[in-house]
Amino acid sequence: MRAWLRRGLLVAGVFALCWGGAIWYWRAGTRVPGTADLANAMLWLPLALLAAGWLGKKLLVRLTRAAPAPAAAAATAEAPPAAASAPPPVAPLQMVAAALRMPGGATAQALAAALQAKQAHPALDGQLCDADGYPMLCGKVAEVDEELQQQLLASWLRAHPQPGLDAETFPYNPEDLRALSLGSEVLIELMQTIVLHPLLPAWRQQMPATRGTVALPTLQLQLLLPAGWSGAQRQAAGAWLWQLAQDEGWPAEKLAPLAPEPAAAPPVPFALLNQIAALAAQERPCGLHIVLACQSHIGEMSVHEWASSGRLFGTSQGDGQIPGEGAAGLLLASAAEAAPFDTGAPVLLQHAAVGVAGSTAGSAAGTRGDAAAIAELARQALALAGIDAAAITLLSADTDQRASRMFELMNGGGTVLPELDLSSQVWCVGAACGHSGPVAALAALALAQQQASDHAAHVLCISNLDPLQRSALVVGPATEAGSLPS
């Protein structure tokens, strides 16, 4: 629709320019135009200009495409024989299952329905107030039992002392407990899918010495826990979630040890998915992977910290962040490892295009973001998936309500997907649920998985919440260009 509108405005502009110029010329010269003059100025001149522009554009595109050919041929001729065989691309992962707990819904279907009906949005919360005592706008998940979560976790910590934590002091505040409660619900839901693996009963029936004959895959947990936690807090929470996966029925022998704390900042979610895909391509067998994120900013500590640093949304900070919370998780595997699960038509998680936006993208209010970076990454993601832009039926993003992020998404995405209806075919998890860090990116992928599974749709997913990192990838069914690997 937008492409046709642009073409229509261009044609109307050319005709208006020609007609206006001719009328001005005739009036200035006090000359009455004849029939031939009217036809030439009013019809043939604008048509000739439009035809010349169209032919010039076609010629420019042809010359642009043909120009690199000699250079490419020369480079091929000069390249050594070993360079002729490029490494094969990393096979896409299959999304076996996805789960989420977000303010807009406890399932992907519920959140999708709320987004379609435009009923998912932050609301005023009477228990969370600003410095003046007024209720704050936030994205809060209802019915999170912080006291029960504290009892469960405190009991487990007493039985399993963790290094770096004071045994006499409970190490998590109410916000942390909300995040862990939501994360545990998501993990339990994903484990309900995993324990249906058809080889699990046969593995249990074998004696320990002969269990190696049953090809039960190994499960690896990839956890994106709150960045503000200490290393000891993350390690303890990871150990508790690892134990929870075992309690849900997966044998400890087939649970991979948790990865050590990274020396640098953890990668953004889409970059982490690329790392998992590369790891799955190297491992034989590649095993199963759960990527889980949980976060909560629904508490006085986050509100005070954000207000002190000028990040909190309010009347004086219109481009601030709205507190949110949630959890989301993905169960990923190669085609071979996903085959035993009865999930219907496979949904592929294609390789992500990851880049860096301009330095102004994360600056103060009034900036326009970097729509060009989003557009370029979207094109790269489509190329990596072997999908034409016309095949995309939905744009799912972690974008929040900030003007710079919205500008990036709408302008960058609209440039690459001109036929998409930006009012109904763009879902912004952050704007609907508040700021929840990497949870929003995984929730956007969970929505994409649900749409691809239920409607055989291809979805472009965008992540632009990070101050500088930007990412894009495609989720959808297998196609001839991007079929399932063997």
Side-chain angles (χ1 to χ4, degrees), residues 234-318:
R234 284 194 293 272
Q235 182 178 353
W240 182 73
L241 292 170
W242 190 93
Q243 180 68 50
L244 184 61
Q246 182 182 346
D247 294 342
E248 288 300 309
W250 197 255
E253 298 89 337
K254 287 297 180 177
L255 267 171
L258 291 173
E261 281 285 318
V268 293
F270 287 15
L272 175 62
L273 297 175
N274 280 352
Q275 294 179 8
I276 295 174
L279 181 64
Q282 298 172 1
E283 294 180 346
R284 290 294 181 270
C286 74
L288 305 172
H289 294 264
I290 285 181
V291 183
L292 173 66
C294 59
Q295 180 76 70
S296 177
H297 297 295
I298 306 301
E300 295 180 358
M301 296 189 65
S302 289
V303 171
H304 176 73
E305 179 186 350
W306 289 13
S308 301
S309 58
R311 296 168 49 201
L312 185 63
F313 175 83
T315 55
S316 61
Q317 185 65 24

Side-chain angles (χ1 to χ4, degrees), residues 5-59:
L5 181 61
R6 285 197 299 268
R7 297 190 188 103
L9 291 175
L10 176 62
V11 171
V14 171
F15 271 86
L17 181 64
C18 292
W19 293 358
I23 292 172
W24 174 84
Y25 175 75
W26 292 329
R27 292 188 63 181
T30 63
R31 175 173 174 268
V32 178
T35 303
D37 295 328
L38 290 172
N40 289 333
M42 299 297 184
L43 181 61
W44 299 118
L45 178 59
L47 289 179
L49 290 175
L50 290 171
W54 180 79
L55 291 174
K57 181 180 179 181
K58 292 291 184 182
L59 180 61

Side-chain angles (χ1 to χ4, degrees), residues 173-451:
N173 62 41
E175 296 175 47
D176 305 336
L177 291 171
R178 296 183 67 87
L180 285 173
S181 178
L182 295 169
S184 64
E185 292 182 17
V186 168
L187 179 59
I188 289 173
E189 182 175 335
L190 293 176
M191 292 305 302
Q192 290 172 353
T193 298
I194 295 176
V195 296
L196 296 178
H197 197 288
L199 293 179
L200 183 56
W203 189 91
R204 287 173 174 164
Q205 291 172 3
Q206 294 289 329
M207 298 294 292
T210 59
R211 284 175 174 171
T213 60
V214 180
L216 185 68
T218 300
L219 174 61
Q220 175 74 62
L221 298 182
Q222 302 280 353
L223 304 177
L224 295 172
L225 300 174
W229 288 3
S230 66
Q233 285 177 309
R234 284 194 293 272
Q235 182 178 353
W240 182 73
L241 292 170
W242 190 93
Q243 180 68 50
L244 184 61
Q246 182 182 346
D247 294 342
E248 288 300 309
W250 197 255
E253 298 89 337
K254 287 297 180 177
L255 267 171
L258 291 173
E261 281 285 318
V268 293
F270 287 15
L272 175 62
L273 297 175
N274 280 352
Q275 294 179 8
I276 295 174
L279 181 64
Q282 298 172 1
E283 294 180 346
R284 290 294 181 270
C286 74
L288 305 172
H289 294 264
I290 285 181
V291 183
L292 173 66
C294 59
Q295 180 76 70
S296 177
H297 297 295
I298 306 301
E300 295 180 358
M301 296 189 65
S302 289
V303 171
H304 176 73
E305 179 186 350
W306 289 13
S308 301
S309 58
R311 296 168 49 201
L312 185 63
F313 175 83
T315 55
S316 61
Q317 185 65 24
D319 207 42
Q321 295 173 330
I322 297 176
E325 65 181 354
L330 310 174
L331 174 56
L332 308 173
S334 67
E337 296 293 357
F341 295 98
D342 185 15
T343 57
V347 175
L348 300 186
L349 180 78
Q350 301 289 347
H351 200 72
V354 181
V356 179
S359 59
T360 61
S363 58
T367 61
R368 297 171 63 86
D370 193 349
I374 295 294
E376 178 59 28
L377 290 172
R379 294 188 188 97
Q380 294 179 19
L382 293 171
L384 289 169
I387 299 295
D388 187 77
I392 300 297
T393 60
L394 178 69
L395 181 59
S396 181
D398 63 0
T399 309
D400 61 15
Q401 90 294 340
R402 287 176 292 172
S404 60
R405 299 306 196 270
M406 278 293 181
F407 179 89
E408 283 186 350
L409 181 70
M410 295 301 181
N411 286 272
T415 300
V416 180
L417 307 173
E419 304 299 328
L420 216 61
D421 186 348
L422 299 182
S423 64
S424 62
Q425 293 177 288
V426 178
W427 292 353
C428 300
V429 175
C433 303
H435 182 77
S436 56
V439 175
L442 296 189
L445 293 172
L447 289 170
Q449 191 266 351
Q450 180 263 329
Q451 290 293 303

